[in-house]
Amino acid sequence: MTADRFCFDGRTPCELSALPTNAGDAREDKPKYLSRTAANLEEMGRLQDGFYADGREGLVVILQALDAAGKDSTVKHVMGGLNPQGVTVHSFKQPSAEELSHDFLWRANRALPPRGGIAIFNRSYYEDVLVVQVHDLQKTYRMPPRTTEVGQREFFHRRYRQIRDYERYLYENGYRVLKIFLNVSKEKQKERFLERIETPAKNWKFSASDLKERALFDEYAKVIGEVISATATPECPWYVIPADQKWYTRYLVSELVADALRRSCHEYPALPDEARARLQDCRRRLEEED
Ligand code: AMP
Ligand code: MG
């Protein structure tokens, strides 16, 4: 699978600024990738039927990225390959007062799908070690001294461990968490921001605060590399994929989702003999009508 090239499973550290943001040689072959994406989307739909019927595993797809990397359009596109029945999308925004009065995994846990279902997380609990860390937001939280007096570094190292433990807990309980980071370049982000400002239909996507975050681009990149290195494991790796060309990002995401579904589909549940006999009886009754 092409996406394997972008996999981090914890064995090697992730240094974001050294990783590709563009499609590289694939740019010579765009039509090939477009048709492969279409085939993957079709396969995802087929696999999802089996996954839903099998109902033994749940899938959580986490999309993380800096602004304008294409999270929203990836969600829209990936959803296009799936049956809306059996999929939910959650966008994790700034936490509400109610959310902040709970542990940081609370709101994510409430958004888990049942087994047989898929949840797409547009941002996730990873914000609680990214934006929170970059802006030191934990200092504004109402938490007991024993949790905060350990200092900034230890506070986030604990959260990395809590996330690893949580993801292992999910894995051991029949969930797969597919973690995808859309890696956009600073230049492409600028281009997309300008497009949002210039195109009236895209104005709503831009806010002046996006520029404040952009000014912290390099700091985010450093923290993101650390977070990925600390939370990538063999059962629950990260995929850091180039995001400067949306068609390539979509191709890789469609490959990853199809692969996760393939691995989560065990078989269509076979009915016991008695239930099969009942079905045959129903069939006879239907055929005997009129
Ligand atoms: P958007 O995805 O562009 O609609 O923006 C959502 C905003 O919510 C982003 O700026 C995120 O960084 C922010 N956000 C999401 N989760 C958290 C969190 N746990 N703490 C603080 N800010 C968050
Ligand atoms: Mg935004």
Side-chain angles (χ1 to χ4, degrees), residues 67 92-95 107 123 127-128 131-132 137 141:
D67 288 319
F92 291 89
K93 307 280 183 188
Q94 282 182 358
R107 64 177 182 164
R123 304 186 189 270
E127 293 293 326
D128 295 277
V131 65
V132 174
L137 297 178
Y141 293 169

Tab-separated table of all heavy atoms in Angstrom, residues 67 92-95 107 123 127-128 131-132 137 141, ligand 1:
chain	number	residue	atom	x	y	z
A	67	ASP	N	-4.471	24.395	10.182
A	67	ASP	CA	-5.553	24.998	9.401
A	67	ASP	C	-5.268	24.908	7.901
A	67	ASP	O	-4.117	25.030	7.462
A	67	ASP	CB	-5.710	26.478	9.775
A	67	ASP	CG	-6.320	26.633	11.161
A	67	ASP	OD1	-7.255	25.881	11.489
A	67	ASP	OD2	-5.845	27.513	11.917
A	92	PHE	N	-14.411	18.388	16.631
A	92	PHE	CA	-14.051	18.790	17.994
A	92	PHE	C	-13.572	20.237	17.983
A	92	PHE	O	-12.535	20.554	17.412
A	92	PHE	CB	-12.990	17.853	18.570
A	92	PHE	CG	-13.529	16.474	18.837
A	92	PHE	CD1	-13.505	15.490	17.859
A	92	PHE	CD2	-14.103	16.172	20.062
A	92	PHE	CE1	-14.025	14.223	18.098
A	92	PHE	CE2	-14.638	14.914	20.321
A	92	PHE	CZ	-14.593	13.938	19.334
A	93	LYS	N	-14.394	21.089	18.602
A	93	LYS	CA	-14.112	22.536	18.649
A	93	LYS	C	-13.547	22.866	20.022
A	93	LYS	O	-13.313	21.987	20.846
A	93	LYS	CB	-15.410	23.307	18.436
A	93	LYS	CG	-16.166	22.899	17.183
A	93	LYS	CD	-15.573	23.539	15.968
A	93	LYS	CE	-16.369	23.199	14.726
A	93	LYS	NZ	-15.717	23.641	13.511
A	94	GLN	N	-13.437	24.181	20.290
A	94	GLN	CA	-13.018	24.576	21.634
A	94	GLN	C	-14.000	23.978	22.625
A	94	GLN	O	-15.200	24.080	22.427
A	94	GLN	CB	-13.043	26.088	21.753
A	94	GLN	CG	-11.844	26.696	21.089
A	94	GLN	CD	-11.801	28.199	21.216
A	94	GLN	OE1	-12.704	28.801	21.783
A	94	GLN	NE2	-10.775	28.790	20.680
A	95	PRO	N	-13.509	23.350	23.686
A	95	PRO	CA	-14.414	22.663	24.599
A	95	PRO	C	-15.386	23.612	25.292
A	95	PRO	O	-15.022	24.749	25.623
A	95	PRO	CB	-13.472	22.023	25.627
A	95	PRO	CG	-12.093	22.352	25.221
A	95	PRO	CD	-12.097	23.203	24.017
A	107	ARG	N	-15.286	13.649	26.140
A	107	ARG	CA	-16.131	13.965	24.975
A	107	ARG	C	-15.832	13.046	23.782
A	107	ARG	O	-16.702	12.758	22.975
A	107	ARG	CB	-16.027	15.441	24.591
A	107	ARG	CG	-14.662	15.913	24.117
A	107	ARG	CD	-14.745	17.382	23.712
A	107	ARG	NE	-13.486	17.891	23.209
A	107	ARG	CZ	-13.368	19.010	22.526
A	107	ARG	NH1	-14.443	19.740	22.264
A	107	ARG	NH2	-12.200	19.422	22.110
A	123	ARG	N	-10.521	16.653	13.983
A	123	ARG	CA	-9.811	16.966	15.223
A	123	ARG	C	-10.258	15.959	16.281
A	123	ARG	O	-11.186	15.187	16.051
A	123	ARG	CB	-10.046	18.391	15.728
A	123	ARG	CG	-9.689	19.469	14.686
A	123	ARG	CD	-9.817	20.860	15.311
A	123	ARG	NE	-9.709	21.929	14.355
A	123	ARG	CZ	-8.568	22.505	14.013
A	123	ARG	NH1	-7.444	22.117	14.571
A	123	ARG	NH2	-8.537	23.462	13.128
A	127	GLU	N	-6.052	17.459	20.188
A	127	GLU	CA	-6.008	18.907	20.442
A	127	GLU	C	-5.584	19.185	21.885
A	127	GLU	O	-5.001	20.228	22.181
A	127	GLU	CB	-7.384	19.542	20.191
A	127	GLU	CG	-7.829	19.518	18.739
A	127	GLU	CD	-6.990	20.393	17.817
A	127	GLU	OE1	-6.513	21.454	18.255
A	127	GLU	OE2	-6.789	19.991	16.652
A	128	ASP	N	-5.886	18.231	22.768
A	128	ASP	CA	-5.591	18.435	24.187
A	128	ASP	C	-4.107	18.299	24.509
A	128	ASP	O	-3.694	18.551	25.647
A	128	ASP	CB	-6.439	17.461	25.033
A	128	ASP	CG	-7.909	17.792	24.881
A	128	ASP	OD1	-8.383	18.692	25.569
A	128	ASP	OD2	-8.572	17.165	24.012
A	131	VAL	N	-2.983	22.136	20.698
A	131	VAL	CA	-3.308	23.549	20.941
A	131	VAL	C	-3.184	23.884	22.434
A	131	VAL	O	-2.682	24.953	22.808
A	131	VAL	CB	-4.715	23.899	20.375
A	131	VAL	CG1	-5.818	23.160	21.083
A	131	VAL	CG2	-4.969	25.395	20.443
A	132	VAL	N	-3.563	22.936	23.275
A	132	VAL	CA	-3.499	23.192	24.723
A	132	VAL	C	-2.044	23.393	25.155
A	132	VAL	O	-1.715	24.303	25.922
A	132	VAL	CB	-4.184	22.045	25.513
A	132	VAL	CG1	-3.983	22.227	27.015
A	132	VAL	CG2	-5.672	21.984	25.171
A	137	LEU	N	-2.846	26.191	27.783
A	137	LEU	CA	-4.225	26.381	28.255
A	137	LEU	C	-4.499	25.642	29.563
A	137	LEU	O	-5.396	26.020	30.320
A	137	LEU	CB	-5.225	25.898	27.185
A	137	LEU	CG	-5.203	26.660	25.863
A	137	LEU	CD1	-6.208	26.061	24.880
A	137	LEU	CD2	-5.535	28.139	26.103
A	141	TYR	N	-7.134	25.752	33.525
A	141	TYR	CA	-8.100	24.720	33.899
A	141	TYR	C	-8.243	24.606	35.405
A	141	TYR	O	-7.285	24.796	36.150
A	141	TYR	CB	-7.675	23.346	33.342
A	141	TYR	CG	-7.710	23.241	31.834
A	141	TYR	CD1	-7.144	22.148	31.191
A	141	TYR	CD2	-8.309	24.229	31.053
A	141	TYR	CE1	-7.164	22.038	29.806
A	141	TYR	CE2	-8.338	24.120	29.670
A	141	TYR	CZ	-7.761	23.023	29.054
A	141	TYR	OH	-7.777	22.926	27.697
B	1	AMP	P1	-12.150	24.544	13.256
B	1	AMP	O1	-11.798	23.087	13.227
B	1	AMP	O2	-11.416	25.362	12.243
B	1	AMP	O3	-13.616	24.775	13.240
B	1	AMP	O4	-11.624	25.137	14.650
B	1	AMP	C1	-11.857	24.523	15.863
B	1	AMP	C2	-10.934	25.158	16.861
B	1	AMP	O5	-11.158	24.541	18.122
B	1	AMP	C3	-9.471	24.994	16.525
B	1	AMP	O6	-8.797	26.216	16.637
B	1	AMP	C4	-8.987	23.999	17.581
B	1	AMP	O7	-7.638	24.157	17.910
B	1	AMP	C5	-9.913	24.328	18.734
B	1	AMP	N1	-9.988	23.209	19.677
B	1	AMP	C6	-10.383	21.943	19.433
B	1	AMP	N2	-10.240	21.179	20.540
B	1	AMP	C7	-9.732	21.970	21.498
B	1	AMP	C8	-9.348	21.759	22.858
B	1	AMP	N3	-9.477	20.564	23.445
B	1	AMP	N4	-8.879	22.807	23.550
B	1	AMP	C9	-8.755	24.008	22.967
B	1	AMP	N5	-9.097	24.281	21.692
B	1	AMP	C10	-9.570	23.275	20.962
